[in-house]
Amino acid sequence: TILAIGQTDFKRMIAYSGVAHAGFLLTALVAGEAGVPAMWFYLATYAFALVGVFSLATVMTGERGGPTAIDDFSGLAQRAPVLAGAMALFMLSLGGIPFTAGFVGKVGVFAAAIDAGYLWLAIVGLVVAVAGLFFYLRVIVVMYFQAPVLVEGPGTDVSRKVDASPSIRTVVAICAAVTFVFGVVPW
């Protein structure tokens, strides 16, 4: 989480945060067999959010490919409001904000640890999750509160619409639906 906070490359930030998510998964395993359902739920919700995030990162890199700076998402809410909304949902879920699947998943793994007598581990996990909110919310701030920047070079139209192919839109829609529905109705 500490390494992810200082990242300016979006994909690298998500990769570093993945280490923290692996730790959350392992938190459920301290409960033994009782923690396995919480671990699987967390893994499933994390996978849907991650597929959505990387699908949108692919849209942002476009034809140039390669690294994706967090600043590449500047002004995305004005250029592609639906895509920005989906990315915001995924970021909130990864951060464990209520009414997202990530919140329910984190509650499950922390509850499993607490039930197994590892309150200290759940507290450490909670501190890490709160620290992680910084970089997830930073992406949302960049999308909604910063003007678009030139990412392709001089002369680029910064007001250009960001468009995703129908297949990516479908994947993002499915991932967003699962992320939202499992956050509101996890059972």
Side-chain angles (χ1 to χ4, degrees):
T1 299
I2 291 169
L3 292 174
I5 288 173
Q7 287 302 314
T8 57
D9 182 78
F10 179 77
K11 292 176 188 175
R12 190 171 292 140
M13 179 197 77
I14 295 299
Y16 280 129
S17 77
V19 176
H21 287 285
F24 297 143
L25 281 170
L26 293 175
T27 301
L29 291 183
V30 300
E33 194 174 313
V36 171
M39 182 206 62
W40 282 114
F41 182 83
Y42 190 91
L43 183 61
T45 60
Y46 175 67
F48 276 98
L50 203 59
V51 167
V53 163
F54 278 113
S55 296
L56 291 171
T58 301
V59 169
M60 296 309 294
T61 58
E63 296 175 8
R64 68 184 164 88
T68 305
I70 292 173
D71 285 341
D72 288 353
F73 291 91
S74 296
L76 184 61
Q78 291 81 33
R79 296 183 292 152
V82 174
L83 297 181
M87 181 62 90
L89 177 65
F90 298 139
M91 293 289 104
L92 293 173
S93 183
L94 291 173
I97 298 297
F99 302 110
T100 64
F103 173 76
V104 176
K106 280 183 176 63
V107 167
V109 297
F110 294 155
I114 291 168
D115 290 345
Y118 289 92
L119 176 62
W120 67 270
L121 185 59
I123 290 171
V124 168
L126 186 60
V127 169
V128 169
V130 169
L133 281 174
F134 172 79
F135 50 83
Y136 295 126
L137 292 176
R138 181 174 61 172
V139 174
I140 294 172
V141 167
V142 165
M143 289 189 306
Y144 284 90
F145 300 108
Q146 285 187 6
V149 296
L150 294 172
V151 292
E152 282 85 11
T156 302
D157 179 12
V158 295
S159 66
R160 72 172 170 81
K161 297 289 184 193
V162 175
D163 197 24
S165 69
S167 59
I168 288 189
R169 276 191 250 144
T170 302
V171 167
V172 168
I174 290 168
C175 291
V178 168
T179 300
F180 179 73
V181 170
F182 282 174
V184 177
V185 199
W187 55 88

